[in-house]
Amino acid sequence: MDKRSKIALYAIGVVIVLIMIAEITKPKALNWRDSYSASDKIPLGCYVVFNELESFSNQPVTTSTTNSFESLKTLADASKTTSVFINNFVSFDKQSSEALLKYVENGNTVFISTNYFYGILSDTLNIKVGTDANGLYKKPSLNSFTSPYLKKYEKRFTDVIENSYFIKIETINAVALGTIKIDKGDKTINDTIPDTNINYIKMPYGTKNGAFYIHTNPFAFSNYHMLNDKEDYAATVLSYLPKQPIIWDNYYKSGRKIITSPLRFVLQNQALKWAFYIALLTFVLFVIFKGKRTQRIIPVVEPLKNATLDFTKTIGDLYYQHGDFTNIIKNKIQYFLEQIRSKYYLNTNELSESFITKLAIKSSNKKEDTKALINFIVYLKSKSNHTENDLIQLNNLIEKFTKQTS
């Protein structure tokens, strides 16, 4: 790894570390997302009210994480319970609406607190919820109860509020329990909405004392208002409900946890998020030190080819293919005698008996074998034409001689 690559790796590592430090040390922004989830401690979560429900009702509180059709079909008809739905909007499909109607018809209770209520259940109960849309800003409002004995529990909401109320009610069955009075200040010309409207009703349903309690201020049950002197109002709203086991809905929530990717799941879990950051930092350090300590790859150098040997082999094959045994034998004899001259320092002009004796001694060969080779060379040199057998016999004698000397 060259110097420029190392500098680039170090720079990337430093940037990643600085980003992680900045991410860890920066103050968390306050999350104002609509949630109403029992596990969320953000301002618009319902962590506080959910944990107070059991002490409020003196009955067990269970959580539903499926739609109403799935959660209610498993309940025994004999058990009387109250299902609580709190969200900024509530809308049930056909199956869930029919399940809730049957559930209340069997003597159970449904409490709904929402700004926007629509769908099949709303149409069946013949009610409609609207909001105050006059003006750019949300106006303060006084949330009260119709009972004069509960006047001390009314509360004025000045912020984090949407002023919703009923604009259509089935007056034959509905019982008004609470009202909202919007502080409009200077009225606009086209403003025909009354200052005071109903925002909490009871809708009896069936013949077994079942009822729907519908409230239009879910903000009252958020952590923000529960911890800012509005808990008495929320408790009074819930006090109308019968004292029986509560089923808290955690499915029809704007803040319902939906994991859309593995990375989102990891980053939403505090322990897994730190494990991911540590693994990322470890990987960066590994790349830096691995790049520093690893030796550059040594290129493979191919050995030089023996071109002389290839050339000799090619020439020999050429002679052999053309059947020119005489030239091959002549060259082979010349090459052999040259080796004798260079290795044993003997004169090869006269291949006499004295030469044979000296060659046998210096080459450590038997005199008979040496004599047979030299006599056959003399014989071949005397011939003008040679055969393949002559070449084979010469080659065998030379190989036998050279094996003994090696």
Side-chain angles (χ1 to χ4, degrees):
M1 182 176 291
D2 56 14
K3 185 176 181 181
R4 181 177 296 178
S5 300
K6 291 181 180 179
I7 293 174
L9 282 176
Y10 291 145
I12 293 171
V14 170
V15 170
I16 292 175
V17 172
L18 291 176
I19 291 174
M20 291 176 61
I21 294 173
E23 184 69 22
I24 293 169
T25 57
K26 75 175 183 180
K28 290 185 177 181
L30 198 58
N31 186 356
W32 287 98
R33 174 178 56 91
D34 288 347
S35 169
Y36 300 101
S37 175
S39 60
D40 278 342
K41 299 180 181 180
I42 60 177
L44 296 184
C46 283
Y47 178 83
V48 175
V49 70
F50 175 77
N51 285 275
E52 294 294 328
L53 278 179
E54 189 166 343
S55 60
F56 163 77
S57 64
N58 295 323
Q59 296 289 336
V61 178
T62 58
T63 302
S64 170
T65 56
T66 58
N67 61 51
S68 298
F69 175 75
E70 294 292 333
S71 61
L72 297 179
K73 69 180 181 180
T74 58
L75 293 177
D77 292 340
S79 60
K80 296 295 185 286
T81 57
T82 298
S83 292
V84 176
F85 299 87
I86 301 175
N87 198 38
N88 58 339
F89 68 92
V90 172
S91 177
F92 303 100
D93 57 23
K94 182 178 180 181
Q95 284 184 324
S96 296
S97 297
E98 291 175 352
L100 284 170
L101 290 170
K102 183 179 178 181
Y103 171 73
V104 176
E105 192 175 5
N106 289 332
N108 297 288
T109 303
V110 169
F111 174 79
I112 300 173
S113 183
T114 181
N115 291 122
Y116 303 95
F117 185 43
Y118 51 90
I120 297 175
L121 184 60
S122 172
D123 295 339
T124 303
L125 298 178
N126 198 19
I127 59 176
K128 189 174 181 181
V129 176
T131 58
D132 176 35
N134 292 318
L136 180 62
Y137 302 101
K138 301 294 186 299
K139 299 179 179 64
S141 60
L142 180 66
N143 286 245
S144 308
F145 299 96
T146 56
S147 173
Y149 299 103
L150 301 177
K151 184 175 177 59
K152 61 180 178 180
Y153 299 116
E154 65 183 20
K155 291 294 180 181
R156 181 180 174 83
F157 291 82
T158 58
D159 57 358
V160 191
I161 185 70
E162 280 198 40
N163 297 316
S164 300
Y165 43 82
F166 294 100
I167 58 177
K168 179 182 179 182
I169 303 175
E170 177 58 64
T171 56
I172 297 176
N173 296 321
V175 178
L177 303 178
T179 61
I180 178 174
K181 184 178 181 180
I182 303 171
D183 184 6
K184 295 187 177 182
D186 296 332
K187 290 187 178 181
T188 59
I189 298 175
N190 298 323
D191 186 7
T192 59
I193 300 174
D195 293 347
T196 303
N197 296 276
I198 298 172
N199 74 338
Y200 188 23
I201 62 172
K202 175 184 178 181
M203 292 282 293
Y205 190 83
T207 59
K208 299 181 180 180
N209 296 324
F212 288 93
Y213 289 82
I214 305 174
H215 179 251
T216 64
N217 183 8
F219 288 92
F221 301 98
S222 65
N223 297 328
Y224 178 83
H225 288 300
M226 289 291 291
L227 299 175
N228 282 278
D229 196 33
K230 303 296 190 298
E231 68 278 4
D232 289 344
Y233 174 79
T236 306
V237 171
L238 295 175
S239 67
Y240 282 95
L241 304 179
K243 303 296 183 182
Q244 54 195 23
I246 293 176
I247 301 174
W248 171 274
D249 164 67
N250 222 24
Y251 179 80
Y252 297 97
K253 300 292 185 184
S254 300
R256 179 160 58 101
K257 300 294 187 295
I258 301 176
I259 304 303
T260 57
S261 69
L263 183 59
R264 182 186 292 269
F265 174 78
V266 170
L267 295 180
Q268 284 183 348
N269 187 296
Q270 190 72 11
L272 292 179
K273 181 173 71 173
W274 276 104
F276 174 75
Y277 286 152
I278 292 172
L280 186 62
L281 178 60
T282 304
F283 174 75
V284 172
L285 294 175
F286 170 79
V287 171
I288 293 173
F289 287 98
K290 186 70 175 177
K292 181 178 180 181
R293 293 177 176 271
T294 302
Q295 184 180 358
R296 190 188 313 168
I297 298 175
I298 300 174
V300 178
V301 179
E302 296 289 342
L304 295 176
K305 293 184 178 180
N306 191 343
T308 304
L309 183 61
D310 292 340
F311 176 76
T312 304
K313 183 178 180 182
T314 302
I315 296 300
D317 291 341
L318 184 63
Y319 278 125
Y320 188 78
Q321 288 173 5
H322 287 80
D324 193 356
F325 302 112
T326 299
N327 272 330
I328 298 175
I329 289 173
K330 179 182 177 182
N331 291 329
K332 198 167 184 64
I333 291 173
Q334 287 179 352
Y335 181 72
F336 175 71
L337 294 178
E338 175 60 31
Q339 281 187 317
I340 291 174
R341 286 193 294 271
S342 60
K343 188 174 183 180
Y344 302 117
Y345 305 102
L346 295 175
N347 188 358
T348 58
N349 291 330
E350 294 185 5
L351 305 179
S352 59
E353 189 71 23
S354 173
F355 171 78
I356 294 172
T357 303
K358 292 178 181 179
L359 180 59
I361 294 171
K362 288 191 174 185
S363 63
S364 301
N365 276 282
K366 293 181 181 180
K367 186 176 180 180
E368 294 79 9
D369 296 336
T370 306
K371 186 174 182 180
L373 172 59
I374 297 302
N375 288 340
F376 189 67
I377 290 174
V378 173
Y379 165 71
L380 293 176
K381 291 177 71 175
S382 64
K383 291 178 64 176
S384 57
N385 294 315
H386 301 85
T387 63
E388 182 179 355
N389 289 332
D390 293 337
L391 176 60
I392 293 173
Q393 187 175 356
L394 174 64
N395 185 70
N396 291 337
L397 290 172
I398 291 175
E399 283 188 354
K400 184 180 179 180
F401 179 84
T402 54
K403 283 181 180 180
Q404 186 64 30
T405 58
S406 58

